Amino acid sequence: MFKINDNYLKLPGSYLFSTIAKKVSAFQAANPDKTVIRLGIGDVTQPLAPAIIDALHGAVDEMGKAETFHGYAPDLGYEFLRTAIAKNDYADRGCDIAADEIFVSDGAKCDSGNIQEIFSVDNKIAVCDPVYPVYVDTNVMAGRTGTYDPKTEMWSDVIYMPCTAANNFSPELPKETPDIIYLCFPNNPTGATVTKAQLQEWVDYANRVGAVIIYDAAYEAYISEEDVPHTIFECEGARTCAIELKSFSKNAGFTGTRLGYTVIPKDLKCRVEMPPHVHSAAERAAHGENASHLGGTDVMLHSLWARRHGTKYNGAPYIQQRAGEAVYSPEGKVQLAKQVAYYMNNAKVIKEGLQEAGYTVSGGVNAPYIWLKTPDGMTSWEFFDYLLEKANVVGTPGSGFGPSGEGYFRLTAFGTYENSVAALERIKKM
Ligand code: MLT
C-alpha cells in the first residue's frame, strides 16, 4: 500500500490566495450586480511593454524556421540572458556576481519553494512574521517545521521574527540561532524596507553563526529611496552566506509569462563529510571542491542547485528568455520605468486616500503594497468581509501572512489607476 507525504496533511487550510479567490467567487455569485475591485493578490494589470512584445514576436518567428529553431533550453539559462542579468542587475551596481552564478527559471515563486530541497531536513528556518506564505508552506511539505498550533498559528520548529509597528516592520536578529533565514525586501506583505546598514548586519550575523540567507528581492524595482539596497550582494560578505531570488513578474509584468532567476555565489559552501562512495580526488572535485581535505570537504550550494536544476528542470522557454533579455534593452528600461511609476502612482493614491479616511498606513513608498491597520479592532478576516460587503473591494488579510499580521490588511497597487481611485472612493464612503 502506498503512503502519502503526510506533511501535506499538516498544512492548515488552502493556500492563502486560493482561499481569497474562493470567497470572492462566492460573493460575486451571490451578488452578480456588484462590480468587485480586486486589490488582493499582487497580480499586474498593465500589458507587456512594447520592447518585450517585439522580442516575443521575434523569438516566435525564430521558432518557426529550421535554422533558428530552439529545442530544450540550457537548463541553467541561455548565456545571452545570464550575461544581461549579471551586467545590469549586479556589475552596474558594483556587485560581484558572474553570469554562471545565475540560474534562470520560470519564476521566483517556484524557486522560493524549491530552494529548501538542497538543505537538510534538520535545518531550522527563521521567517519574518508576517511573511509570504510560500516559504513556510514549502518547509512544512518537506517536514522541517514540527507541529502546528492552531491557537498561536505557529509551527513548533520555526523561528518567527515579528515585524510590527514597534520595530518599523523590520525584523530583529533572532534570539535562537537559525540555519536558514528567509528575508524579503522590499517586503511582501508590509511594503517595508531595510537600509543597507541594516542588511549588512544580517549578512554579518549569518556569516558569524553559519546560517544562509534566502533573500527574495522580487520587489526591488519599486525602491525609490536612497540607501535601500537593491540586492543583498551590495553587502560585504554576502557571497559566503546569501542566495538571492529575483522575479520578472513585478518589474516587467511577467506574472502570466513566467520568468525568474536565482543567484548562488560559488563562495557559498557547506562543510560536509563526503558520502562513502566518493573516494578519488576527481570524484570529490565533482561534488564540490577543496578535494585535498581529508575527512570532509566544502560543498558549493551552487553545485547542488545546478544538480537539481539539471535533473528536474528543462529550462525556461527560449521565447520567454528573449523577452527577459528585452527587459534590459535601452527601450525596455525606459518603458518599464514608466510601468513601475504607474503602479507607484496607484500606491500613492491608495496610501493618501486611506490616510485621508483616517487609517493608519505604511508601505507604498518602496513597494507596491500598502499595509493598513484594521479599524475598530476588527480582525483581518472581519475587515476582509466588511470591505468586500460594503465597498466590494478585495484585499488580503494580514493574518493570512502570519500571526503578527493579525489586525492588518494589505492592498496592492498593481490594479489599474481607475480601479485604485474607485476603490478609495468606495472605502471613504464606508
Ligand atoms: C502576492 O500577492 O503576495 C504575490 O502576488 C504572490 C506571488 O508573487 O506569488
Side-chain angles (χ1 to χ4, degrees):
M1 181 67 183
F2 67 85
K3 293 194 177 75
I4 57 164
N5 174 356
D6 57 7
N7 291 317
Y8 277 67
L9 304 180
K10 298 180 191 164
L11 289 163
S14 56
Y15 182 59
L16 173 63
F17 293 105
S18 315
T19 309
I20 292 171
K22 274 186 215 136
K23 271 182 160 268
V24 175
S25 296
F27 177 83
Q28 191 71 87
N31 301 277
D33 54 316
K34 302 263 164 71
T35 311
V36 172
I37 298 179
R38 292 161 200 266
L39 302 181
I41 191 163
D43 194 4
V44 294
T45 50
Q46 293 307 291
L48 292 173
I52 293 166
I53 291 294
D54 286 348
L56 284 167
H57 283 161
V60 167
D61 288 344
E62 283 186 67
M63 294 297 275
K65 294 188 209 112
E67 49 298 356
T68 48
F69 170 76
H70 286 79
Y72 289 130
D75 43 47
L76 306 188
Y78 280 103
E79 212 44 50
F80 62 79
L81 180 56
R82 297 169 95 196
T83 306
I85 293 168
K87 178 186 180 311
N88 289 278
D89 289 348
Y90 296 101
D92 288 357
R93 294 201 170 106
C95 304
D96 172 23
I97 293 296
D100 69 356
E101 293 175 316
I102 293 161
F103 298 78
V104 176
S105 74
D106 57 355
K109 181 176 182 179
C110 312
D111 285 357
S112 66
N114 292 329
I115 194 73
Q116 48 77 28
E117 276 188 32
I118 62 171
F119 296 98
S120 161
V121 79
D122 298 335
N123 282 313
K124 194 146 201 181
I125 67 162
V127 294
C128 291
D129 171 25
V131 69
Y132 180 45
V134 173
Y135 313 150
V136 176
D137 285 4
T138 53
N139 277 285
V140 174
M141 292 168 181
R144 203 175 278 118
T145 55
T147 51
Y148 184 68
D149 180 349
K151 264 206 215 107
T152 59
E153 299 180 355
M154 287 175 160
W155 294 90
S156 59
D157 291 350
V158 172
I159 300 169
Y160 291 87
M161 306 182 291
C163 297
T164 61
N167 60 18
N168 241 339
F169 304 103
S170 161
E172 281 136 40
L173 297 177
K175 290 190 179 65
E176 186 185 348
T177 306
D179 302 301
I180 302 171
I181 303 163
Y182 286 86
L183 294 178
C184 171
F185 291 108
N187 186 256
N188 178 16
T190 66
T193 47
V194 284
T195 62
K196 190 170 164 192
Q198 284 173 311
L199 190 56
Q200 184 66 56
E201 275 181 39
W202 280 96
V203 168
D204 294 344
Y205 170 76
N207 276 322
R208 198 164 63 242
V209 302
V212 61
I213 297 174
I214 298 175
Y215 192 74
D216 185 344
Y219 299 93
E220 166 276 318
Y222 292 84
I223 293 171
S224 66
E225 292 182 326
E226 292 289 315
D227 203 29
V228 176
H230 286 254
T231 154
I232 195 165
F233 297 111
E234 284 179 36
C235 296
E236 221 169 290
R239 284 187 58 86
T240 52
C241 69
I243 291 175
E244 184 158 279
L245 310 170
K246 280 294 291 282
S247 168
F248 286 80
S249 290
K250 318 292 173 171
N251 64 329
F254 277 46
T255 54
T257 307
R258 308 309 305 149
L259 196 66
Y261 68 84
T262 287
V263 178
I264 309 191
K266 291 185 179 169
D267 297 343
L268 179 50
K269 295 172 190 168
C270 182
R271 185 92 191 145
V272 292
E273 294 304 312
M274 289 312 289
H277 68 276
V278 177
H279 301 301
S280 71
E283 281 173 308
R284 285 167 171 241
H287 278 73
E289 61 286 349
N290 252 357
S292 60
H293 284 91
L294 286 175
T297 195
D298 291 334
V299 170
M300 293 192 294
L301 299 195
H302 183 281
S303 306
L304 303 187
W305 190 239
R307 186 70 171 83
R308 187 208 177 270
H309 239 50
T311 303
K312 294 195 173 184
Y313 191 55
N314 261 335
Y318 176 72
I319 298 168
Q320 270 101 310
Q321 295 200 45
R322 279 292 179 203
E325 184 188 30
V327 166
Y328 300 103
S329 67
E331 335 56 272
K333 283 183 187 173
V334 172
Q335 292 161 8
L336 292 173
K338 279 194 193 139
Q339 209 167 78
V340 166
Y342 173 90
Y343 291 129
M344 287 314 278
N345 187 46
N346 292 349
K348 191 165 178 278
V349 165
I350 296 170
K351 188 170 185 179
E352 289 179 358
L354 287 168
Q355 281 166 335
E356 280 161 30
Y359 288 84
T360 304
V361 193
S362 59
V365 175
N366 294 295
Y369 293 128
I370 293 93
W371 190 240
L372 60 118
K373 192 151 178 43
T374 56
D376 307 324
M378 276 189 209
T379 67
S380 300
W381 279 107
E382 280 167 359
F383 188 67
F384 174 90
D385 291 332
Y386 179 72
L387 198 64
L388 185 56
E389 197 65 46
K390 299 276 181 237
N392 311 145
V393 171
V394 182
T396 309
S399 57
F401 297 101
S404 294
E406 182 57 279
Y408 284 88
F409 201 76
R410 192 193 78 176
L411 290 175
T412 165
F414 284 127
T416 62
Y417 172 73
E418 293 73 20
N419 274 346
S420 305
V421 171
L424 261 295
E425 275 166 12
R426 293 185 194 178
I427 291 172
K428 282 181 189 168
K429 285 196 197 125
M430 283 197 316

